[in-house]
Amino acid sequence: MGFFTDTSVCIGCKACEVACKEWNSVPEDGLEFTGMSYDNTQQLGADTWRHVAFIEQSKPIGQAEPGTDHGGSPGAASDGGGTDMRWLMASDVCKHCTHAACLDVCPTGSLFRTEFGTVVVQEDICNGCGYCVPACPYGVIDQRKEDGRVWKCTLCYDRIGGGLEPACAKACPTDSIQYGPLDELRERAALRVEQLHGIGVEDARLYGHDPDDGVGGDGAFFLLLDEPEVYGLPPDPVVTTRDMPSMWRHAGVAAAAMLGGLAAVFAAHGREGGAR
Amino acid sequence: MSESEVRKDGVHGARPDREALVGKGLPGRGGGGRGRRGRRGGRGEKAMVPEAEFTSYYGRPVLKAPTWKASDVAAYLFLGGLAGAGSVLAAGAQLTGRPVAARALKISSLAAITGSTAALIHDLGRPARFANMLRVMKPTSPMSMGSWILAGYGPAAGAAAVLDATGLFPRLGAAATGAAAALGPAVTTYTAVLICDTAVPAWHEGRREMPFVFTGSAMSAAAGMALAAAPVRETGPMRTAALLGGVLELAAAKTLEHRAGLAAEPYKQGKAGRFMRAGEILSGAGTAGAVLLGGRSRAAAALCGTALLAGSTCTRFGIFHAGMQSARDPKYTVVPQRERVNAREAEART
Ligand code: SF4
Ligand code: SF4
């Protein structure tokens, strides 16, 4: 089971952010203006499991006309009063990777894969070692300062276990967030991309849908209207544990070199008072 | 609010108007060409590969930087190396009849491994959390493997030091010395795998060289410790070990900086760059001094030994900060990945 987030219909209402906090009792994490955009949540974190990104761009979208007069809005283009910008809104979340680096590196087994194929932290086992934090190629999971443990989206493990859809998907008024079996969602997503291409939105593309990508495909994938990095997503994430055998091999060679090298040094010097 | 739900048996309650048409209701684009101006990289338009244009979400980092504190984790890396390499040197010194050096190294290894475990526990917050680390054994988690290595190594190093200092049970002491020496190289190198098995660009891209940097740095630190603590007539092999370690550390670090591409940039800049340069200078001077003067005067040996220890510490802090710097700047994550994607797409087209 997973999420398909179709950002082309997102209106940036943040209902998902609020619903997630409400259902999961996630603490408030600062209400400040950052000055960077209308996005005042900034990023996913220990206390933000859904994050709606707001991207302001001067680019046309589909059949929309850049330079359309929105009625003397600020930022109006000089050539006749219209604005030359578009908004992209996208609700981001933990990707529930098929090959999840966070889960692989967790030394306590606190992170586990559920019967739904999602990735969940067991709060009573997490050690707060923070290893999963830099391991995640998407920068999702994070440590809560107050208790030292890590937190992230559980894909509403408690709700889906009871046959309900996750709180964010339930709250989304435009169905930008859709929940269901992944193969079915992928089918719908492909149709939606085709439809958008058909009406001239050539930039529409899927992200995280491909089971052959660096993380084995995401349990939460997206329809984006621009390159992933525009949304703060990595263009080609890779699960780092993929290189594990080679890393252990290199460490093994280095360790053997140290033992061998030092043995040779002592052999060359001989007993104390010997050669040198 | 949303009525539709996707279940195994299909979509329930889909609303008819959910397939919004983007841009509908705004004046049509009319003809062809307009609206394409200023468009960056629409799919299939780019003729050639890189040009590696860099965009990000308001310059915000893509990755979460490690939550680890430099004072805990960089110290943990340094102390682990000092302990592990020290145990190997101690065993060598013992076998070749250099008892003072052997005892000094066993004690420094015990102190270092205690310090490194304390740093780890301080970073975790509570001692009980270290025990929790031994809940499972996971080869995919270098931290889990490392905890098990420490659980074996710590007692061996402790027994080796205590039995040597007290003179009790010499056979058992020799066995503990041997066990600590056997596990020492693992203690030294697993930390390299630990930091490289992350998405942090400066670390992950250096994954091939990192174990060698750590090994070299650990050998020069342990040799430095012996030079500072043992009489000149016992430290002949330590001076050679310092040379071996110093050369390995510098060579591996230079290879890393050359091979890791953009991800190597943090090693040359800012705080990390300053630590790396200081490490090079101290290790270089310490090694040269140890080889040239370390055999003549006790004072010179002690000075060079201290320089080697300081050099190794600086290198570890440099590596730590380089990782932090590379995680905080989205450039290091996005640009190499974008180049990879572009190259793949170019290949698919030809
Ligand atoms: S996105 Fe990050 S936190 Fe979520 S499953 Fe993947 S690796 Fe883990
Ligand atoms: S912080 Fe918790 S969940 Fe993350 S790796 Fe450590 S023990 Fe596992």
Side-chain angles (χ1 to χ4, degrees):
Chain A
M1 303 299 275
F3 281 133
F4 165 47
T5 306
D6 176 355
T7 71
S8 70
V9 294
C10 177
I11 54 170
C13 68
K14 291 190 177 239
C16 50
E17 277 192 34
V18 176
C20 173
K21 272 200 189 273
E22 286 282 339
W23 178 264
N24 295 300
S25 308
V26 179
E28 179 265 321
D29 54 344
L31 299 164
E32 75 264 24
F33 273 111
T34 61
M36 72 174 204
S37 84
Y38 284 94
D39 170 12
N40 62 347
T41 326
Q42 307 177 52
Q43 59 188 332
L44 289 173
D47 297 331
T48 304
W49 298 354
R50 269 262 174 208
H51 162 234
V52 184
F54 285 56
I55 298 127
E56 212 169 328
Q57 284 184 324
S58 42
K59 254 185 168 183
I61 185 168
Q63 295 164 350
E65 173 88 342
T68 302
D69 189 351
H70 295 298
S73 43
S78 51
D79 60 352
T83 61
D84 195 13
M85 55 88 72
R86 69 172 180 177
W87 282 101
L88 297 181
M89 287 130 188
S91 181
D92 194 11
V93 70
C94 167
K95 314 302 178 288
H96 296 277
C97 314
T98 304
H99 304 306
C102 63
L103 190 155
D104 283 343
V105 304
C106 173
T108 62
S110 160
L111 278 153
F112 77 110
R113 187 163 310 275
T114 69
E115 65 272 34
F116 303 103
T118 57
V119 179
V120 174
V121 197
Q122 301 171 77
E123 44 195 88
D124 52 339
I125 293 174
C126 171
N127 233 355
C129 68
Y131 199 5
C132 50
V133 175
C136 169
Y138 295 99
V140 169
I141 195 163
D142 200 13
Q143 197 172 40
R144 191 178 280 168
K145 292 282 166 295
E146 298 79 56
D147 69 2
R149 292 177 297 172
V150 299
W151 303 83
K152 72 171 192 72
C153 160
T154 68
L155 220 139
C156 283
Y157 190 35
D158 50 351
R159 287 176 63 94
I160 63 178
L164 296 168
E165 64 177 329
C168 55
K170 188 81 191 163
C172 177
T174 62
D175 260 1
S176 172
I177 301 172
Q178 300 169 38
Y179 163 78
L182 276 172
D183 40 359
E184 229 162 276
L185 289 174
R186 285 198 201 106
E187 231 167 83
R188 284 161 64 113
L191 281 177
R192 176 67 179 155
V193 172
E194 225 167 83
Q195 183 193 27
L196 285 171
H197 285 173
I199 59 165
V201 188
E202 289 137 51
D203 276 344
R205 84 272 321 263
L206 296 180
Y207 176 78
H209 61 296
D210 183 1
D212 296 325
D213 68 8
V215 296
D218 291 328
F221 66 101
F222 301 79
L223 187 156
L224 303 178
L225 297 177
D226 205 332
E227 306 284 3
E229 56 266 40
V230 168
Y231 296 85
L233 297 165
D236 188 29
V238 165
V239 57
T240 47
T241 24
R242 200 172 69 173
D243 302 314
M244 204 76 253
S246 130
M247 285 190 273
W248 282 125
R249 227 175 13 251
H250 280 87
V253 172
M258 173 165 148
L259 263 187
L262 291 181
V265 167
F266 279 104
H269 280 270
R271 294 192 69 79
E272 198 251 312
R276 255 199 283 164
Chain B
M1 278 217 272
S2 123
E3 257 106 278
S4 70
E5 210 169 323
V6 190
R7 301 204 207 107
K8 274 255 161 16
D9 54 339
V11 185
H12 295 260
R15 268 186 286 185
D17 56 348
R18 59 168 309 284
E19 310 284 349
L21 292 187
V22 179
K24 260 282 161 98
L26 293 170
R29 197 161 54 191
R34 274 199 77 194
R36 298 197 70 87
R37 74 194 142 105
R39 172 171 308 189
R40 268 169 312 161
R43 286 270 149 128
E45 285 186 343
K46 257 177 257 169
M48 292 165 308
V49 206
E51 126 217 354
E53 191 184 334
F54 169 60
T55 31
S56 76
Y57 183 58
Y58 298 99
R60 305 222 36 122
V62 172
L63 302 174
K64 292 272 183 293
T67 52
W68 302 326
K69 291 178 285 298
S71 53
D72 289 338
V73 171
Y76 167 74
L77 301 178
F78 164 72
L79 291 171
L82 175 60
S87 288
V88 181
L89 282 180
Q94 172 123 14
L95 285 175
T96 57
R98 294 176 167 86
V100 185
R103 179 170 302 169
L105 284 165
K106 286 180 200 173
I107 292 172
S108 79
S109 284
L110 173 59
I113 207 64
T114 310
S116 108
T117 312
L120 177 63
I121 288 172
H122 184 254
D123 203 65
L124 289 178
R126 287 190 261 119
R129 285 184 170 165
F130 181 77
N132 203 17
M133 287 285 189
L134 305 177
R135 200 179 154 262
V136 291
M137 192 180 244
K138 272 171 84 173
T140 59
S141 171
M143 198 179 279
S144 164
M145 297 318 281
S147 301
W148 284 101
I149 292 172
L150 280 186
Y153 171 81
V162 170
L163 296 179
D164 190 338
T166 56
L168 296 168
F169 312 113
R171 287 248 178 102
L172 198 59
T177 306
L183 285 169
V187 174
T188 305
T189 49
Y190 95 82
T191 43
V193 183
L194 192 153
I195 64 166
C196 293
D197 187 25
T198 59
V200 174
W203 292 343
H204 190 68
E205 292 310 316
R207 59 187 179 272
R208 292 191 190 82
E209 294 82 11
M210 201 66 82
F212 296 95
V213 181
F214 275 36
T215 303
S217 169
M219 287 193 329
S220 71
M225 180 57 85
L227 284 176
V232 171
R233 77 192 137 76
E234 285 196 3
T235 53
M238 311 305 168
R239 295 194 288 277
T240 314
L243 180 65
L244 198 65
V247 169
L248 183 59
E249 176 182 354
L250 285 181
K254 285 292 160 207
T255 317
L256 192 163
E257 286 178 18
H258 280 122
R259 211 195 42 81
L262 182 67
E265 206 178 88
Y267 290 102
K268 299 167 197 155
Q269 291 175 355
K271 205 184 206 176
R274 288 195 294 279
F275 270 117
M276 293 305 285
R277 293 298 83 79
E280 269 169 32
I281 293 168
L282 285 164
S283 298
T287 308
V291 173
L292 298 174
L293 308 169
R296 299 197 196 142
S297 109
R298 181 72 213 267
L303 190 68
C304 295
T306 316
L308 288 173
L309 283 165
S312 174
T313 314
C314 285
T315 304
R316 303 308 175 111
F317 275 80
I319 291 169
F320 182 83
H321 285 295
M324 298 303 255
Q325 278 166 227
S326 74
R328 287 199 188 107
D329 188 339
K331 174 174 81 176
Y332 299 114
T333 306
V334 170
V335 172
Q337 293 192 14
R338 170 54 51 201
E339 278 171 2
R340 216 152 64 202
V341 173
N342 288 350
R344 214 160 43 218
E345 277 171 7
E347 185 146 339
R349 270 199 299 278
T350 54

